[in-house]
Amino acid sequence: DVIFYGVIQPTSPEDLEIMPEGERRTQMKTIWTKTLLKVDGNVNSTNSDIIKDSKNRLYRVVKLSDRSENGFYKAFAEYLPNG
Protein backbone atom coordinates (compact mmCIF):
# COMPACT_ATOMS: atom_id res chain seq x y z
CA ASP A 1 0.00 0.00 0.00
CA VAL A 2 1.09 3.53 -0.77
CA ILE A 3 -0.23 6.56 1.06
CA PHE A 4 -0.72 9.66 -1.06
CA TYR A 5 -2.71 12.85 -0.77
CA GLY A 6 -5.05 14.37 -3.28
CA VAL A 7 -8.47 15.86 -3.80
CA ILE A 8 -11.43 13.61 -4.62
CA GLN A 9 -14.49 15.25 -6.12
CA PRO A 10 -17.49 14.22 -8.21
CA THR A 11 -16.69 13.96 -11.91
CA SER A 12 -18.20 16.86 -13.83
CA PRO A 13 -20.84 16.26 -16.51
CA GLU A 14 -18.39 17.71 -19.05
CA ASP A 15 -15.72 15.16 -18.13
CA LEU A 16 -18.26 12.32 -18.28
CA GLU A 17 -19.24 13.41 -21.80
CA ILE A 18 -15.68 13.02 -23.11
CA MET A 19 -15.40 9.45 -21.86
CA PRO A 20 -16.25 6.60 -24.20
CA GLU A 21 -19.87 5.50 -23.85
CA GLY A 22 -19.00 2.20 -22.16
CA GLU A 23 -16.91 4.01 -19.54
CA ARG A 24 -19.52 6.52 -18.36
CA ARG A 25 -20.46 5.56 -14.86
CA THR A 26 -22.74 7.31 -12.43
CA GLN A 27 -20.47 7.05 -9.41
CA MET A 28 -17.28 8.33 -11.01
CA LYS A 29 -14.87 10.50 -9.05
CA THR A 30 -12.13 12.81 -10.21
CA ILE A 31 -8.89 12.66 -8.26
CA TRP A 32 -6.28 15.42 -8.41
CA THR A 33 -2.91 14.34 -7.05
CA LYS A 34 0.83 14.88 -7.44
CA THR A 35 1.29 11.09 -7.40
CA LEU A 36 1.33 9.27 -10.73
CA LEU A 37 -1.35 6.60 -10.48
CA LYS A 38 -1.38 3.35 -12.43
CA VAL A 39 -4.15 2.74 -14.93
CA ASP A 40 -4.66 -0.13 -17.33
CA GLY A 41 -6.67 0.85 -20.41
CA ASN A 42 -8.97 -2.17 -20.16
CA VAL A 43 -12.42 -1.37 -18.75
CA ASN A 44 -12.56 -4.33 -16.35
CA SER A 45 -8.87 -4.42 -15.53
CA THR A 46 -7.54 -5.52 -12.18
CA ASN A 47 -4.16 -3.90 -12.90
CA SER A 48 -5.24 -0.33 -12.17
CA ASP A 49 -4.66 1.36 -8.83
CA ILE A 50 -7.37 1.08 -6.20
CA ILE A 51 -7.95 4.25 -4.17
CA LYS A 52 -9.40 4.31 -0.64
CA ASP A 53 -10.97 7.59 0.45
CA SER A 54 -11.22 8.99 3.97
CA LYS A 55 -14.46 7.03 4.52
CA ASN A 56 -12.84 3.75 3.38
CA ARG A 57 -14.78 3.64 0.09
CA LEU A 58 -12.84 2.05 -2.76
CA TYR A 59 -12.43 3.34 -6.32
CA ARG A 60 -10.57 1.89 -9.33
CA VAL A 61 -8.65 4.26 -11.59
CA VAL A 62 -10.02 3.98 -15.14
CA LYS A 63 -8.45 6.97 -16.89
CA LEU A 64 -5.53 9.31 -16.26
CA SER A 65 -4.83 12.76 -17.67
CA ASP A 66 -1.30 14.08 -17.43
CA ARG A 67 -1.45 17.60 -16.03
CA SER A 68 2.11 17.39 -14.71
CA GLU A 69 3.02 20.70 -16.40
CA ASN A 70 0.90 22.19 -13.61
CA GLY A 71 2.23 19.76 -11.02
CA PHE A 72 -0.74 17.39 -10.90
CA TYR A 73 -2.32 14.33 -12.44
CA LYS A 74 -6.08 14.11 -13.01
CA ALA A 75 -7.44 10.62 -12.57
CA PHE A 76 -10.95 9.31 -13.10
CA ALA A 77 -12.06 6.46 -10.88
CA GLU A 78 -15.12 4.25 -10.61
CA TYR A 79 -16.73 3.32 -7.32
CA LEU A 80 -16.33 -0.32 -6.26
CA PRO A 81 -19.50 -1.10 -4.26
CA ASN A 82 -18.24 -4.50 -3.11
CA GLY A 83 -14.74 -3.29 -2.32
Side-chain angles (χ1 to χ4, degrees):
D1 291 353
V2 174
I3 296 175
F4 75 94
Y5 296 93
V7 175
I8 299 176
Q9 60 191 45
T11 300
S12 72
E14 294 82 13
D15 282 335
L16 284 174
E17 284 296 318
I18 64 170
M19 296 214 172
E21 183 120 1
E23 293 184 24
R24 294 181 194 164
R25 296 171 179 88
T26 56
Q27 295 195 32
M28 293 283 291
K29 296 292 183 184
T30 299
I31 302 165
W32 292 91
T33 181
K34 291 184 176 188
T35 303
L36 178 59
L37 300 173
K38 183 175 69 169
V39 62
D40 184 334
N42 299 320
V43 173
N44 295 315
S45 173
T46 57
N47 295 323
S48 296
D49 278 335
I50 304 295
I51 308 300
K52 184 187 296 185
D53 70 8
S54 61
K55 295 182 180 178
N56 290 324
R57 293 175 294 213
L58 298 179
Y59 299 87
R60 177 185 299 120
V61 177
V62 295
K63 186 172 181 157
L64 187 66
S65 294
D66 185 354
R67 303 289 176 90
S68 57
E69 70 275 3
N70 295 317
F72 293 92
Y73 295 96
K74 181 180 183 182
F76 299 98
E78 68 174 332
Y79 177 64
L80 299 174
N82 298 323

